[in-house]
Amino acid sequence: MTAVETPQITVIVPVKDEQASIDHFVAEFSARVAADLADFTILFIDDGSTDNTIEVIEATRRRDPRVHYLKLTRNFGKEAAMTAGLDHADGDAAIIMDVDLQDPPEMIPQFIQRWRQGYDTVYGVRTSRDEDTHAKRFSARLFYKLFTMASGITIPDNVGDFRLISRRMIDALRQLPERNRFMKGLFAWPGYSAIGVPYERPARARGQTSFNGWKLWNFALDGITSFSSLPLRIWTYCGIFISFGAFLYMLKIIVATLLFGNEVPGYSSMMCVLLFLGGIQLISIGVIGEYVGRLYIETKARPIYLLEADSRRDSPVDP
Ligand code: UDP
Ligand code: MG
């Protein structure tokens, strides 16, 4: 961390179809975060909105020159939008937060204080997830257990993307070029000092969430496969185990045939073994497929996002 008097901090806010939330967010931010705390830039990343999000941001910019935006050419997903923000964050630190005020701006002074004490990451820890269903909470917990087991990287519990990260953390993240952006894992990967600050996560202020069960499942798959090859290795051990069992069974059949002669062997047990092994083989091929597919995407090395506009470069605000 640089020991500057008034640090420059970029507040990265990914937005997709959030025309109803922008004004409210900027107003709350200004009301809850003292302007002299840092030299703030509120950098909205428009992730392919199809409503009037950009127009609303433009209008807000006329009132508050701290507001800026990057416009992506289409919807690349929140992870790509955050990456775009980090790539363009040129201050001493960056704060990532949602526009729906589920990440309360009043936490920011504490974040900055912790950062000044020398922490590279200060993340918000949700003290309650009352607004989430039991199933969502249970599956989240299960996922983080599995992730830590498979990758050896610990993702703190009940932590989202809401965080402040230091300059060297931003620089470290920029060195991770993968297309598969599992940010929670990427944030944990550099291993710089981190501390959590507890907060109550309120319900979404306006608009609607765009994450559903299927998206979250794919998110979990991306997370595990991009940080671990354990799912591939499992099948080696399964194979060894099953082959060993089959070998013992073969010995039994040979001995029994020698001793008692050949009786017609059971059809049903044959079917069971056949179907069981067929199933295992299909699953393992599927798992290999998951990795091959990701390899394919990564080797193409396409950019993570494309920029349509950057308000700090191409469209200065009218005075
Ligand atoms: N978001 C985005 N791109 C997307 C989906 C969402 O930039 O494809 C933004 C959205 O505008 C919001 C943040 O990501 O600022 C969190 O989204 P949301 O509140 O819907 O998610 P939840 O809080 O339910 O996890
Ligand atoms: Mg939200």
Side-chain angles (χ1 to χ4, degrees):
M1 184 201 130
T2 29
V4 274
E5 270 308 298
T6 316
Q8 285 201 350
I9 298 185
T10 312
V11 182
I12 298 169
V13 191
V15 286
K16 155 117 203 304
D17 295 337
E18 299 278 10
Q19 57 181 15
S21 307
I22 307 275
D23 272 342
H24 192 41
F25 173 84
V26 175
E28 281 291 306
F29 186 91
S30 308
R32 312 248 172 243
V33 187
D36 56 4
L37 211 52
D39 192 354
F40 289 107
T41 302
I42 302 179
L43 184 61
F44 287 107
I45 322 294
D46 177 45
D47 184 19
S49 296
T50 49
D51 63 359
N52 293 322
T53 298
I54 275 293
E55 286 77 5
V56 177
I57 297 175
E58 277 286 358
T60 316
R61 258 160 67 62
R62 299 216 165 79
R63 290 194 301 274
D64 190 341
R66 299 182 302 174
V67 173
H68 281 279
Y69 66 84
L70 299 172
K71 180 171 163 44
L72 308 187
T73 50
R74 63 169 171 86
N75 179 239
F76 284 92
K78 186 185 174 191
E79 317 275 315
M82 287 192 280
T83 305
L86 289 170
D87 286 348
H88 290 81
D90 40 21
D92 303 304
I95 295 172
I96 300 175
M97 57 197 300
D98 289 356
V99 75
D100 56 13
L101 294 172
Q102 284 193 288
D103 303 332
E106 53 265 38
M107 299 302 297
I108 290 177
Q110 284 186 58
F111 279 19
I112 293 176
Q113 188 194 0
R114 288 303 204 172
W115 168 62
R116 282 183 174 280
Q117 286 168 0
Y119 290 100
D120 285 284
T121 300
V122 189
Y123 50 76
V125 183
R126 294 171 219 169
T127 48
S128 80
R129 295 186 64 153
D130 288 345
E131 84 279 8
D132 287 341
T133 58
H134 276 293
K136 190 169 174 187
R137 268 185 277 176
F138 174 77
S139 52
R141 205 165 328 127
L142 184 71
F143 168 71
Y144 291 120
K145 278 233 165 67
L146 281 177
F147 183 89
T148 305
M149 203 183 77
S151 68
I153 290 176
T154 311
I155 300 180
D157 236 6
N158 287 329
V159 170
D161 297 316
F162 183 33
R163 61 188 62 222
L164 178 151
I165 58 180
S166 67
R167 182 72 248 166
R168 70 169 182 163
M169 184 70 186
I170 300 172
D171 293 339
L173 289 172
R174 280 192 195 165
Q175 289 176 49
L176 307 180
E178 53 249 76
R179 265 105 277 281
N180 184 347
R181 313 293 299 174
F182 180 65
M183 293 303 274
K184 285 192 172 89
L186 299 183
F187 283 138
W189 183 85
Y192 292 143
S193 61
I195 190 163
V197 181
Y199 75 104
E200 283 278 337
R201 188 167 170 86
R204 201 173 217 289
R206 282 161 203 208
Q208 280 205 331
T209 176
S210 52
F211 290 95
N212 55 34
W214 178 244
K215 262 195 182 174
L216 290 174
W217 162 251
N218 282 306
F219 190 62
L221 267 190
D222 279 346
I224 299 266
T225 50
S226 61
F227 276 85
S228 166
S229 57
L230 184 70
L232 286 173
R233 244 178 300 146
I234 288 174
W235 304 107
T236 315
Y237 297 109
C238 271
I240 291 172
F241 183 74
I242 291 173
S243 312
F244 187 66
F247 180 72
L248 291 184
Y249 191 58
M250 184 185 77
L251 288 184
K252 181 202 160 237
I253 292 175
I254 291 175
V255 172
T257 312
L258 287 179
L259 292 183
F260 311 112
N262 187 11
E263 289 172 37
V264 179
Y267 163 78
S268 42
S269 56
M270 281 278 279
M271 272 319 270
C272 284
V273 173
L274 206 77
L275 291 177
F276 176 68
L277 282 183
I280 294 244
Q281 282 168 356
L282 282 180
I283 295 173
S284 56
I285 289 174
V287 172
I288 296 173
E290 289 286 336
Y291 282 89
V292 173
R294 283 171 172 79
L295 267 175
Y296 176 62
I297 301 283
E298 294 291 341
T299 49
K300 283 194 283 194
R302 286 183 182 161
I304 298 165
Y305 57 87
L306 282 183
L307 277 192
E308 173 92 47
D310 177 348
S311 68
R312 293 170 309 171
R313 253 199 354 242
D314 16 80
S315 50
V317 213
D318 304 334

